[in-house]
Amino acid sequence: MTPVERRHPAAMFTDQERFERERELVLRSPQLVGYRSELPTPGTFCTKTVMDIPVLLTRGSDGIVRAFQNVCTHRQAPVAKGCGAAEHFVCPFHSWTFDNRGSFVGGPGREGFPATIAAGANLTELPAAEHSGFLWVDLRPDAGPLDIDAHLGDLGPELESWDIGNWAPVGEKVLDVPVNWKLALDTFAENYHFATVHRDTFAVFTRSNCALFDSYGPHHRLVFPMKHIGDIANQPEESWEPLNNFVIIYALFPNIVLSATVANGEVFRVYPGSGPGHSVTYHQNASPMDFSDESIRKAADDVFEYAHASVRDEDYPLAADIQRAMNSGVRAEMIFGRNEPGLHHRHSVLDEALGESTGAATGEPLG
C-alpha cells in the first residue's frame, strides 16, 4: 500500500494540449515492438505499425536487427507486408526493389529518376536494437543508437531471464477504442477490479486486490498471486515454479505493458490516437508450447483469444464509459487508492517526464 491516496485531475485524460505533449513524449521514447522470435534467422522480416508509422524490421545475414520506415522512396507504398523470409522487398506499385539492409538495388525505368537514384534511394533507416529478448525501435531516423540498457536499468536482466523473447509468436490483434491512452494502460495497473470486472474470467483463478509492487525508475512491476499459491507453503522452496503461482505485469515507460504467465507472454503496445479520447492497442502473444503439434497450436490460439477477449469485452468497454464520464466534466478528479500503487507510479513519472505536478495526496491542493 502507498502511504496515502492520490487525487488526479480528470482533465489529464481529456485536455488536448496535454495530449499533444504526451504524444510527443511517446514518439521520442524507445519502443518495444515485438519478440526476438519474430526474426528467428538471418533473412527473416516482420512489419509493424507504431504511432501510425509503418515499420519494417529485418535480420541481416550478419544476424543484426535493422529497422526501416516501411515506405518506398518513390511514391511511399509499403514494400513489405506481414512476416516471413525475404532477401529483397519489391514495391507493389512500380517494382522498386530493396535488400534487407534497406538499400535500393534496382527497378524498371531507372532512367526516369537520375537525381533521386544518385542521391540515394534507400529506405529510411530507424535506430533498432535487440535487447532482453525483445525488438526495439526509435521512430526518429536521426536519433542515434538506442541505449536500451540505460532505458531499462536493473529491469533488463529480469526480462531476459523469463526467456519470453524466444517463445513462439502466436499472433497480434488490434483494439481501436474511444479511450485515452493512459486510461487504457491503467487497465493493467491494478487487480483491485478483478472480482467485479473479471468475475468469470481472471478472478476465477487469480486473487483480487492483492499484489506486490516494485518500481524500477520510470518502470514498475506488479505480481498478482494465483488463488492456489498457498499450496506451496509446505513444499520445498527449490520445487517452487514462479510462473505456476503468479502473474507478472511489467509497465515499461511510457506505453508498453508486458505480462508473463506460465501459458503465455503478452505485449500490449498502447499508443495515443487521434485525440485525448482515442487510443490504439496492439496486443501480441507468445507461447512456450511446441507448435509442431497442431492441437497444441490450437490451444495456444485459444489462450490468446481468452486473454484478448477479457480486455476487448470487459476492460475496454468499461474504460470507454469512464472516458465519456470524464469528457462530460461532471467530476473534476479521480482517486487512486492506497491499494493501487501502479497508478500512483505511472502518473507521477509521466508528470515528472513532462515537468509537471498534477496529482496530489488527499487533503492537498491539486498541482
Side-chain angles (χ1 to χ4, degrees):
M1 293 231 182
T2 62
V4 295
E5 299 164 70
R6 175 186 172 95
R7 296 181 298 129
H8 195 74
M12 295 300 97
F13 297 89
T14 62
D15 181 74
Q16 181 67 32
E17 188 274 337
R18 169 75 178 214
F19 167 78
E20 290 171 359
R21 294 180 62 212
E22 292 171 351
R23 191 174 191 278
E24 180 60 30
L25 173 67
V26 176
L27 275 167
R28 65 175 187 263
S29 300
Q31 290 295 317
L32 187 158
V33 296
Y35 311 96
R36 173 193 292 146
S37 55
E38 293 181 78
L39 299 176
T41 58
T44 53
F45 73 93
C46 62
T47 58
K48 304 286 179 179
T49 302
V50 187
M51 296 286 285
D52 295 328
I53 297 172
V55 176
L56 167 64
L57 293 109
T58 68
R59 188 181 297 280
S61 58
D62 54 4
I64 294 176
V65 170
R66 296 176 175 85
F68 309 92
Q69 293 175 356
N70 186 14
V71 174
C72 181
T73 48
H74 172 213
R75 297 274 291 280
Q76 301 199 26
V79 302
K81 291 186 177 181
C83 300
E87 293 184 3
H88 297 96
F89 302 97
V90 181
C91 175
F93 203 175
H94 299 93
S95 295
W96 282 34
T97 303
F98 306 85
D99 65 19
N100 60 13
R101 297 193 183 198
S103 299
F104 174 76
V105 295
R110 296 180 60 174
E111 64 277 6
F113 305 88
T116 298
I117 293 173
N122 299 340
L123 299 177
T124 299
E125 187 164 6
L126 301 172
E130 182 178 6
H131 194 286
S132 302
F134 299 95
L135 307 174
W136 302 77
V137 300
D138 193 311
L139 298 175
R140 303 166 298 168
D142 301 324
L146 274 170
D147 188 350
I148 305 303
D149 269 329
H151 178 62
L152 291 179
D154 294 340
L155 199 52
E158 180 171 324
L159 295 184
E160 180 77 56
S161 72
W162 299 115
D163 200 37
I164 294 169
N166 290 323
W167 291 2
V170 177
E172 179 178 285
K173 300 177 186 287
V174 183
L175 291 166
D176 188 310
V177 292
V179 174
N180 181 272
W181 72 283
K182 303 186 303 296
L183 189 57
L185 283 169
D186 287 350
T187 292
F188 309 98
E190 44 84 11
N191 69 345
Y192 179 35
H193 69 284
F194 277 19
T196 47
V197 179
H198 302 306
R199 179 183 56 206
D200 299 320
T201 52
F202 292 147
V204 173
F205 52 85
T206 307
R207 292 179 182 268
S208 184
N209 198 29
C210 178
L212 176 69
F213 170 83
D214 293 288
S215 62
Y216 298 79
H219 319 293
H220 70 244
R221 177 185 67 190
L222 289 163
V223 180
F224 300 160
M226 310 294 279
K227 285 189 170 180
H228 62 249
I229 194 169
D231 295 346
I232 67 173
N234 297 317
Q235 299 172 9
E237 187 171 337
E238 59 270 17
S239 71
W240 295 358
E241 293 292 339
L243 293 184
N244 287 344
N245 295 285
F246 51 66
V247 177
I248 308 178
I249 305 289
Y250 296 99
L252 304 184
F253 185 82
N255 65 310
I256 304 297
V257 172
L258 172 63
S259 170
T261 78
V262 70
N264 62 352
E266 298 176 89
V267 172
F268 295 88
R269 301 186 281 122
V270 182
Y271 301 121
S274 59
H278 176 235
S279 61
V280 180
T281 298
Y282 290 83
H283 180 193
Q284 295 181 247
N285 203 9
S287 172
M289 294 187 276
D290 181 0
F291 288 174
S292 59
D293 185 319
E294 185 58 34
S295 65
I296 293 178
R297 170 65 202 227
K298 174 63 166 57
D301 289 338
D302 290 345
V303 169
F304 186 20
E305 178 56 29
Y306 179 90
H308 184 74
S310 69
V311 178
R312 180 193 64 212
D313 301 337
E314 297 172 355
D315 286 310
Y316 278 10
L318 181 56
D321 289 340
I322 294 169
Q323 185 70 49
R324 281 189 287 271
M326 289 191 291
N327 291 344
S328 75
V330 294
R331 291 190 66 87
E333 62 189 34
M334 54 174 28
I335 303 297
F336 301 152
R338 293 183 58 220
N339 56 339
E340 300 173 311
L343 298 175
H344 291 244
H345 182 261
R346 166 171 291 123
H347 291 277
S348 64
V349 296
L350 182 58
D351 276 359
E352 182 180 352
L354 294 174
E356 297 184 2
S357 178
T358 58
T362 50
E364 296 178 357
L366 290 172

